[in-house]
Amino acid sequence: MTDPNAIQPSALDQLPDRDPEETAEWQASLDAVAKAAGPHRAAYLMRRTLERAEGTGIALPKLLETDYVNTIPTAAEPSAPGDEAMEARITAWNRWNAAAMVTRGSKYGVGGHIATFASAAWLYETGFNHFFKGKEADGSGDQLYIQGHASPGIYARAFLDGRLNEQQLDNFRQEAGGNGLPSYPHPRRLPWLWEFPTVSMGLGPLSAIYQARFNRYLTNRGIKDVSASHVWAFLGDGEMDEPESTAALALASREGLDNLTFVINCNLQRLDGPVRANFKIVQELEAQFRGAGWNVVKTLWGTAWDELFQLDTTGALVRRLREVPDAQVQTYQTRDAAYIRQDFFGKDPELAEMAKLLSDDKILECFHLSRGGHEARKVYAAYKAAVEFKGAPTVILAQTVKGHTLGEGFASKNANHQMKKLTVDEFKTMRDLLELPISDAQFVDGVVPYGHPGADSPEVRYLQERRAALGGPAPARRVHPVAPLPAPAEKAFASFDKGSGSQNVATTMAFVRLIKDLVRDKESGKRWVPIVPDEARTFGMESLFPSLGIYSPKGQTYEPVDRDQLMYYKEAQNGQILNEGITEAGSMADFIAASTAYSTHGETMIPFYIFYSMFGWQRTADQMWQLGDQLGRGFLVGATAGRTTLTGEGLQHADGHSPVIAATNPAALTYDPAFAYEVAAIVKDGLRRMYGEAAPGEDQNVFYYLTVYNEPLPQPAKPAVDGVDEGIVKGLYRFNTAESAGLSPVANAPRIQLLGSGTAIHWTLKAQQLLAEEWGVAADVWSATSWTELRREALEADAALLRGEERMPYVRQALQGAEGPVLAVSDYMRQVPDQIAQWVEQDYSSLGADGFGLSDTREAARRHFGVDAESIVVAALAQLAKRGEVKATAVKEAREKYGL
């Protein structure tokens, strides 16, 4: 059995010891210190030695944790500019109005959060007063990711600044009237103020990393120099449990994103209790970030603790702080001095002696009030260290008290996240603590008043002067006037109109070929941002590698293994392709940053993100919602689409539902094109709408989702009839009739309308032929490029009708007069084509691939789901038999003939 106390082998044992005697001397010295001064002293010396080695560049593993003290000691703090007393008064007004806003709204039951901003007020105020650059200088400024639950404090500051009025504050979370404030940072709801949505939790930190990375991308590609922009992400310690919060930490350090700072408000509480009841979240986060290569600044204790640390000549206090679990720290916040003396100091004889030198007031000041995140000078020192640190991103771990200044009923209570109001008496106590000039008489009928020192008060003038010096108000979203992008040459799109002849071409390949032409456009080509999560070769995009290059801030520091090949793997500092590795979440964060560059930086970019359709919406639909909230524009492309086209991959790869999920997103225009010319027409219209001259009433703040297939098939020419392009964009047009297909049905033959989307139209065309040649039925085939857009337009028509406007849905107009029933087919679950059922006047039925996918050939999978040509024939005959237009026996005959 192995002795657990024995010294275990290490990596050093694999290296030859050139001087064993010297090594033994070092080890003996350590043993001597441990024996003479104790293990704590030995550990102290080792930590300081490792820190020294790290600071001088000696290659050693990093210390993952440091003591539970401030990284920047009081003696090393820089003097903060500005008027600290004035800033304290401004912060007091903001604290008051944030609490008042939520409390006043609580009578309507709309909710709100008070405690988060109360803990984080100085984290924001210090940044607004001294660090956060506005957009009135270079148009970009800094990018601020505000913690969602802190939004009342940001509204309160905007109120003090004159950007909001009392009526708007009273409409917090009451937006229906048109003059309200959204609950959280929602750009779509308040587009002049909010720039980045940060709720759902976890998406803010992920997006912030990729925004900082995209800033570097813009600079390195020569689009715009945004090197002066800094990204600030304000996060909660509980939020860091979300996997997205830490998913890209290594990317940020690997690429040296020193234009990025995380500020984590460590109030030690999540929504319903302690973040780490029996552990220490600050130490855990420090190890996680340091291990990932970040610069870590801990801002834990206020100046009241300086006296205690000076008394700690043996390190007993630091050791005790390190071992006390977070939940006990919260308990100290609510208990009296006697309890703290006994439970904190009484556990160590040296600390018990120290406590005799401290008054009860001093103990309570330290344990109840004095946190690093509540002192402007501590926060300023941390921020200054962050922006001056080069070579890596910085995380600031700022310890605070949740509910600070809100009174004993709030501070550090487990339930304070759900507490929505203060009583009048609690407000009066808060007023006295903050020293605000608000009289009792201002509480009319028990309603807490808003407070404002006056538009021309010293506080407001100071606030506005500080913001002017930093480049204007913040947060702020600006859409700078930019000329519409000129449309690419028509040749790029028209080349698909003639079809592919006898050549088999998948629509995925058609899309990639179109992009290859568009990125060559002299005017807009450089604006394209191709994004792919490590599947470029799967989608046939490797031909773009040598021509566009893969973005890497280091360029290419190696000779690629395929350098002698035409399509070699080329990385470049100004590369255009973002090849993200196996991360759909990271790729979506890339897309969001690129798709909103028109607002963030005043630069129009055209991102397209191509992915396995199964792993886009299903894995990152929350980010697609974030994209819609942030008013992003671009093309999402679900490749290898459909439930039956990706042969062999099976259940987890078989997408039969992405259009259903996409249909739930109001900003997503979802298309399932069947042919190459349809892909070209949709992309052309998307470029016009999002980046060119949008039609009156068209919302430009949309994004397109196209499904494309990996099934090579002959691509037909665009039908030479009027209205095809309009039908493609609107979602439906007649591809052919039985007559135009040369099937020559007999006179008065039963007729049916077959609607197909995506690859399903090929089975529909085969079914059209079988119906004519074997059953005497005439079928017309329609290409349904977008079931979702058909439904949306029909819903708009219904709403117009309720307003008294006569308007017929486009789907009904298109099918008006078409003979026979309608049978809709797709390679998705029937819920996709069934979106339009209620607006079709004819008898309607559908076929789709419902259920889980399976591994097999395409033909076997389609027979399994009942969507192949023969199954379509049987379903069509059944529809006609119901109407008495074919014999009922025909259905049975067809089933037997085709082996169904």
Side-chain angles (χ1 to χ4, degrees):
M1 185 173 180
T2 303
D3 179 1
N5 297 314
I7 297 176
Q8 300 298 312
S10 73
L12 294 177
D13 295 327
Q14 311 304 314
L15 302 175
D17 190 341
R18 294 183 297 180
D19 192 341
E21 184 176 345
E22 182 183 35
T23 303
E25 289 176 358
W26 277 81
Q27 292 171 336
S29 297
L30 182 64
D31 292 341
V33 170
K35 184 177 180 180
H40 297 304
R41 178 61 181 170
Y44 176 86
L45 291 175
M46 287 301 299
R47 285 200 304 274
R48 292 296 175 264
T49 302
L50 286 171
E51 288 171 358
R52 178 74 173 182
E54 184 178 325
T56 55
I58 297 175
L60 282 174
K62 289 179 178 292
L63 275 174
L64 294 186
E65 289 184 37
T66 60
D67 289 327
Y68 201 66
V69 296
N70 294 348
T71 302
I72 305 171
T74 301
E77 289 172 5
S79 57
D83 185 333
E84 188 172 332
M86 179 68 74
E87 291 173 16
R89 292 203 297 274
I90 292 170
T91 304
W93 285 115
N94 293 338
R95 287 182 182 278
W96 176 273
N97 288 322
M101 179 192 337
V102 177
T103 298
R104 286 167 68 123
S106 66
K107 65 181 178 180
Y108 302 108
V110 295
H113 302 287
I114 300 177
T116 295
F117 178 73
S119 67
W122 275 113
L123 302 180
Y124 290 105
E125 289 300 321
T126 303
F128 285 128
N129 287 326
H130 301 290
F131 290 94
F132 304 156
K133 295 187 288 291
K135 294 181 175 296
E136 293 178 358
D138 66 355
S140 291
D142 287 353
Q143 288 82 56
L144 308 181
Y145 288 78
I146 305 295
Q147 190 179 1
H149 293 147
S151 60
I154 309 305
Y155 290 140
R157 192 172 216 275
F159 170 65
L160 199 66
D161 194 13
R163 301 169 76 198
L164 292 173
N165 57 42
E166 285 195 17
Q167 181 186 10
Q168 289 171 301
L169 295 193
D170 268 344
N171 285 336
F172 175 58
R173 293 194 172 199
Q174 298 173 73
E175 300 177 75
N179 195 33
L181 301 178
S183 52
Y184 302 128
H186 292 309
R188 187 169 284 273
R189 289 300 182 206
L190 200 62
W192 60 268
L193 180 73
W194 296 123
E195 190 168 19
F196 303 105
T198 52
V199 179
S200 297
M201 285 192 287
L203 299 188
L206 180 67
S207 291
I209 290 173
Y210 280 89
Q211 181 65 57
R213 195 282 197 91
F214 190 74
N215 289 357
R216 289 282 173 83
Y217 172 89
L218 285 178
T219 301
N220 287 336
R221 284 199 56 216
I223 301 292
K224 181 180 180 180
D225 184 357
V226 295
S227 54
S229 291
H230 200 89
V231 178
W232 301 82
F234 289 84
L235 317 169
D237 48 359
E239 181 179 8
M240 300 311 292
D241 285 346
E242 290 284 5
E244 296 90 348
S245 295
T246 55
L249 298 186
L251 167 72
S253 61
R254 185 169 65 244
E255 299 203 0
L257 298 181
D258 50 24
N259 60 339
L260 169 68
T261 298
F262 276 15
V263 181
I264 303 182
N265 178 14
C266 297
N267 57 34
L268 313 185
Q269 287 183 249
R270 56 161 72 107
L271 306 187
D272 288 323
V275 178
R276 295 288 184 272
N278 296 296
F279 305 93
K280 301 191 80 63
I281 185 59
V282 169
Q283 299 300 92
E284 179 183 320
L285 290 174
E286 179 183 28
Q288 193 169 13
F289 278 87
R290 285 175 68 89
W294 287 54
N295 175 45
V296 179
V297 177
K298 293 197 292 192
T299 303
L300 308 180
W301 308 110
T303 52
W305 282 83
D306 288 350
E307 179 182 342
L308 276 68
F309 289 126
Q310 289 170 4
L311 294 173
D312 184 29
T313 58
T314 64
L317 175 63
V318 173
R319 291 196 300 273
R320 181 67 177 137
L321 288 173
R322 186 184 179 95
E323 70 187 21
V324 175
D326 284 351
Q328 191 63 24
V329 173
Q330 299 296 82
T331 298
Y332 294 148
Q333 179 69 35
T334 62
R335 303 300 292 268
D336 60 20
Y339 178 88
I340 298 171
R341 284 182 187 277
Q342 178 182 348
D343 191 86
F344 181 83
F345 293 97
K347 296 294 176 70
D348 185 298
E350 293 177 349
L351 290 181
E353 289 300 312
M354 179 191 296
K356 293 178 182 178
L357 304 175
L358 304 174
S359 67
D360 285 356
D361 287 344
K362 182 65 177 181
I363 289 175
L364 293 179
E365 180 187 15
C366 288
F367 284 84
H368 285 192
L369 300 174
S370 188
R371 300 291 187 273
H374 296 322
E375 294 191 12
R377 63 185 64 188
K378 302 289 185 185
V379 177
Y380 179 86
Y383 285 9
K384 189 171 189 292
V387 297
E388 291 179 353
F389 189 87
K390 301 304 176 185
T394 294
V395 59
I396 295 168
L397 303 175
Q399 186 164 261
T400 65
V401 175
K402 194 167 185 178
H404 184 60
T405 73
L406 297 180
E408 294 181 0
F410 268 82
S412 291
K413 295 297 177 65
N414 282 341
N416 62 20
H417 185 77
Q418 304 301 327
M419 297 162 69
K420 312 299 181 187
K421 59 183 178 180
L422 278 70
T423 66
V424 169
D425 286 342
E426 287 172 327
F427 265 111
K428 290 179 180 178
T429 300
M430 180 183 177
R431 171 201 61 192
D432 296 341
L433 175 66
L434 298 177
E435 299 180 348
L436 291 173
I438 298 173
S439 67
D440 288 354
Q442 291 177 259
F443 290 81
V444 180
D445 297 326
V447 177
V448 57
Y450 293 119
H452 199 292
D456 195 39
S457 64
E459 293 91 338
V460 173
R461 287 201 307 271
Y462 181 90
L463 180 156
Q464 293 175 342
E465 287 168 1
R466 291 305 311 141
R467 289 311 315 156
L470 287 165
R477 180 179 180 273
R478 297 285 186 269
V479 179
H480 304 276
V482 293
L485 286 182
E490 181 64 26
K491 180 182 177 182
F493 306 103
S495 63
F496 293 91
D497 291 352
K498 62 181 184 239
S500 65
S502 60
Q503 182 184 6
N504 290 335
V505 177
T507 51
T508 298
M509 297 308 301
F511 176 81
V512 171
R513 190 183 121 196
L514 174 62
I515 294 301
K516 285 175 64 178
D517 290 340
L518 294 176
V519 296
R520 294 192 189 105
D521 184 82
K522 291 182 180 180
E523 296 291 337
S524 60
K526 69 177 182 179
R527 301 284 173 179
W528 285 88
V529 183
I531 303 168
V532 60
D534 201 38
E535 292 284 359
R537 297 183 192 278
T538 300
F539 308 137
M541 292 176 59
E542 65 269 30
S543 62
L544 298 178
F545 288 172
S547 58
L548 301 184
I550 299 165
Y551 173 73
S552 170
K554 288 184 176 292
Q556 192 155 37
T557 61
Y558 61 93
E559 183 176 351
V561 67
D562 54 358
R563 182 63 181 86
D564 57 344
Q565 298 178 15
L566 181 62
M567 293 182 286
Y568 69 97
Y569 197 84
K570 177 186 175 183
E571 296 188 79
Q573 192 174 31
N574 63 347
Q576 195 163 348
I577 300 169
L578 291 172
N579 193 7
E580 287 306 346
I582 305 173
T583 168
E584 286 84 6
S587 299
M588 264 309 301
D590 261 338
F591 187 89
I592 292 170
S595 71
T596 54
Y598 73 92
S599 170
T600 309
H601 295 298
E603 294 289 343
T604 300
M605 305 301 288
I606 313 171
F608 80 86
Y609 163 33
I610 187 167
F611 49 86
Y612 265 88
S613 63
M614 184 69 167
F615 305 135
W617 287 89
Q618 178 165 300
R619 294 187 80 147
T620 57
D622 201 8
Q623 287 178 282
M624 273 79 161
W625 200 262
Q626 180 190 21
L627 167 65
D629 190 350
Q630 201 167 320
L631 293 87
R633 305 169 185 173
F635 296 95
L636 297 176
V637 184
T640 59
R643 184 145 278 167
T644 69
T645 63
L646 195 57
T647 55
E649 295 287 354
L651 180 151
Q652 193 64 32
H653 285 64
D655 173 24
H657 54 277
S658 70
V660 177
I661 307 174
T664 66
N665 192 311
L669 278 60
T670 302
Y671 286 91
D672 187 25
F675 305 124
Y677 67 80
E678 293 178 352
V679 172
I682 293 164
V683 171
K684 177 182 177 181
D685 190 69
L687 290 172
R688 174 200 62 80
R689 177 169 177 173
M690 294 186 292
Y691 304 103
E693 297 286 355
E698 274 188 324
D699 184 4
Q700 283 191 287
N701 298 315
V702 295
F703 60 93
Y704 283 62
Y705 175 53
L706 280 72
T707 53
V708 292
Y709 297 82
N710 66 325
E711 188 170 13
L713 292 163
Q715 294 296 324
K718 183 192 291 188
V721 294
D722 293 337
V724 172
D725 286 333
E726 179 189 22
I728 292 171
V729 172
K730 288 191 171 181
L732 183 68
Y733 69 96
R734 182 153 46 194
F735 176 72
N736 70 15
T737 63
E739 291 79 8
S740 66
L743 297 174
S744 303
V746 298
N748 299 318
R751 187 173 290 268
I752 189 169
Q753 308 299 317
L754 302 178
L755 279 58
S757 69
T759 198
I761 204 166
H762 297 283
W763 327 327
T764 307
L765 289 167
K766 183 179 177 183
Q768 178 190 43
Q769 183 178 359
L770 292 174
L771 283 166
E773 294 176 352
E774 299 182 5
W775 305 97
V777 172
D780 299 338
V781 173
W782 299 69
S783 180
T785 54
S786 180
W787 310 100
T788 303
E789 287 307 295
L790 290 173
R791 174 180 176 79
R792 285 187 179 154
E793 194 276 340
L795 289 170
E796 292 171 4
D798 285 357
L801 194 62
L802 291 175
R803 297 193 299 267
E805 304 171 20
E806 289 295 331
R807 182 171 152 192
M808 182 184 293
Y810 173 79
V811 63
R812 185 170 296 172
Q813 292 179 45
L815 291 170
Q816 196 168 35
E819 298 178 39
V822 170
L823 175 60
V825 188
S826 86
D827 201 17
Y828 295 94
M829 55 197 300
R830 289 174 61 184
Q831 188 174 340
V832 175
D834 284 352
Q835 290 180 88
I836 66 169
Q838 73 187 80
W839 293 281
V840 176
E841 291 182 324
Q842 294 88 342
D843 294 337
Y844 187 90
S845 63
S846 64
L847 295 175
D850 286 75
F852 288 113
L854 73 165
S855 300
D856 213 313
T857 65
R858 289 175 178 140
E859 293 74 16
R862 286 159 189 170
R863 177 57 58 91
H864 169 80
F865 287 112
V867 292
D868 60 352
E870 291 78 7
S871 299
I872 295 171
V873 169
V874 173
L877 293 174
Q879 279 284 85
L880 293 167
K882 272 193 211 178
R883 298 160 58 95
E885 296 179 17
V886 301
K887 294 178 180 180
T889 56
V891 181
K892 180 181 179 183
E893 291 173 15
R895 279 202 303 266
E896 293 174 351
K897 178 173 182 173
Y898 300 132
L900 298 177

